């Protein structure tokens, strides 16, 4: 029986790269003799509905074409099921594709990985908020300074792209203040102190390769949480480049913990996961062991 996959894409992802990547990946998959159904949706809710209908009809894989946001949407369909996730990276960050070794910038090579069909079971995170929101995530949950930057960038209409985030970061640095976090771990330990940010990693990176949780392992049944203490503005500016290398965990202001669950509280702070807004704190975060199959290079 021939294989059938669904290509879920966002034409706007990666400044339009996703649409071209989807066409190239679909052509290569068909060369492998794989049937391809492409869906986009008028908006994220419509794309989610179409993806659920396609998966329920019986397919061999759901392939997310785009960035981490599109993968995040696909996770809401696939978590806990038998249909695996394929990736054709075409976004800005592509952190989850990077985590699993999926070729970036080469839709045909990504399609070859999907055609080979090697599936690895991986953990997911599950977020539950007091407003009733419940969402799975694959990479990192971000709260604190980084989520404040994203809040501000999302309110800005100009400029586009990374420059918007650079300006938003400059504005938040000017307003930098210690944030009163309270974090409860699975063994009942309570961490209550001022922090700059708290990042909870199922995988290692966010923001296009920032290794904020360099020790995270997507298959060990635990989160790695990176807690960055409050620090002066100039020190924080010097600190951030070390996050790209993962060497920040050696700073005395940085504390790392491992836990299967966390409750995170901090007034006025948002939670983002896979780059997507989830809810305002507080949230409960729990690990969902082996909740997803990811198609990875053999």
């Amino acid at each position: 029986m021939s294989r059938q996959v669904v290509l879920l894409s966002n034409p706007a992802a990666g400044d339009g790269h996703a649409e071209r990547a989807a066409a190239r990946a679909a052509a290569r998959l068909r060369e492998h003799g794989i049937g391809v159904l492409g869906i986009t949706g008028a908006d994220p809710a419509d794309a989610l509905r179409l993806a659920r209908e396609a998966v329920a009809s019986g397919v061999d894989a759901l392939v997310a074409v785009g960035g981490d946001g599109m993968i995040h949407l696909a996770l809401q369909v696939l978590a806990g099921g038998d249909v695996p996730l394929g990736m054709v990276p075409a976004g800005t960050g592509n952190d989850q594709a990077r985590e699993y070794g999926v070729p970036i910038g080469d839709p045909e090579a990504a399609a070859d990985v999907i055609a080979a069909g090697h599936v690895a079971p991986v953990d997911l995170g599950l977020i539950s908020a007091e407003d009733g929101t419940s969402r799975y995530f694959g990479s990192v949950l971000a709260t604190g300074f980084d989520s404040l930057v994203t809040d501000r960038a999302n309110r800005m209409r100009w400029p586009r792209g990374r420059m918007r985030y650079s300006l938003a970061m400059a504005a938040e640095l000017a307003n930098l203040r210690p944030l009163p976090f309270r974090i409860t771990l699975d063994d009942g330990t309570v961490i209550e102190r001022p922090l700059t940010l708290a990042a909870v990693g199922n995988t290692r990176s966010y923001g296009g390769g920032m290794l904020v949780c360099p020790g995270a392992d997507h298959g060990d049944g635990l989160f790695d949480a990176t807690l960055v203490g409050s620090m002066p503005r100039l020190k924080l500016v010097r600190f951030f480049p070390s996050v790209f290398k993962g060497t920040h965990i050696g700073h005395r202001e940085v504390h790392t913990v491992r836990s299967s669950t966390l409750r995170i509280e901090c007034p006025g702070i948002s939670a983002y996961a896979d780059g997507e807004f989830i809810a305002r704190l507080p949230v409960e975060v729990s690990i969902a062991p082996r909740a997803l199959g990811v198609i990875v290079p053999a």
Side-chain angles (χ1 to χ4, degrees):
M1 191 170 83
S2 63
R3 294 165 62 194
Q4 178 85 15
V5 303
V6 173
L7 250 60
L8 176 65
S9 63
N10 172 8
D15 293 327
H17 295 308
E19 189 171 20
R20 296 187 293 274
R24 290 170 58 183
R28 177 60 67 91
L29 288 168
R30 292 186 178 110
E31 289 176 8
H32 284 287
I34 298 171
V36 179
L37 171 64
I39 58 176
T40 56
D43 53 40
D46 188 43
L48 187 63
R49 177 185 63 81
L50 292 172
R52 283 189 170 130
E53 291 175 355
V55 169
S57 71
V59 295
D60 295 290
L62 177 62
V63 178
V65 185
D68 292 300
M70 184 54 63
I71 291 172
H72 181 80
L73 191 151
L75 297 182
Q76 313 315 310
V77 177
L78 299 177
D82 297 327
V83 176
L85 170 70
M87 304 179 193
V88 177
T92 304
N94 301 313
D95 284 287
Q96 294 185 74
R98 188 178 291 106
E99 174 77 13
Y100 296 110
V102 177
I104 295 172
D106 190 339
E108 287 81 8
D112 290 341
V113 170
I114 294 162
H118 181 73
V119 177
V122 305
D123 301 337
L124 293 177
L126 177 62
I127 307 162
S128 300
E130 291 191 343
D131 65 0
T133 298
S134 180
R135 298 265 282 280
Y136 287 96
F137 71 99
S139 58
V140 176
L141 172 72
T143 63
F145 177 77
D146 43 3
S147 65
L148 287 169
V149 170
T150 305
D151 282 342
R152 182 178 290 273
N154 288 344
R155 294 193 299 267
M156 296 167 64
R157 295 293 174 261
W158 181 91
R160 294 174 59 86
R162 289 193 177 274
M163 182 58 71
R164 178 187 299 176
Y165 284 88
S166 297
L167 291 177
M169 180 174 288
E172 287 302 324
L173 278 170
N175 295 322
L176 184 67
R177 65 194 188 281
L179 301 172
F181 273 86
R182 177 183 170 92
I183 299 172
T184 307
L185 307 181
D186 55 8
D187 64 359
T189 298
V190 175
I191 301 168
E192 191 165 9
R193 61 189 179 97
L195 297 175
T196 298
L197 64 86
V200 180
N202 179 51
T203 60
R204 296 172 295 169
S205 73
Y206 67 174
M210 297 176 72
L211 291 168
V212 67
C213 299
D217 180 343
H218 55 254
D220 67 355
L222 293 169
F223 294 115
D224 271 39
T226 299
L227 313 180
V228 179
S230 58
M231 62 180 73
R233 186 177 296 113
L234 289 178
K235 188 168 186 178
L236 184 63
V237 171
R238 294 193 299 268
F239 169 84
F240 262 103
S242 67
V243 181
F244 281 96
K245 300 177 183 179
T247 56
H248 61 292
I249 59 172
H251 288 249
R252 64 182 181 86
E253 292 89 354
V254 178
H255 181 51
T256 59
V257 296
R258 309 186 80 214
S259 183
S260 61
T261 64
L262 300 97
R263 176 176 172 82
I264 308 173
E265 304 170 67
C266 188
I269 297 299
S270 300
Y272 286 82
D274 302 332
E276 300 294 303
F277 173 77
I278 306 298
R280 302 287 271 183
L281 299 183
V283 298
E284 304 270 356
V285 191
S286 56
I287 204 80
R290 301 169 72 89
L292 178 71
V294 176
I295 302 175
V296 298

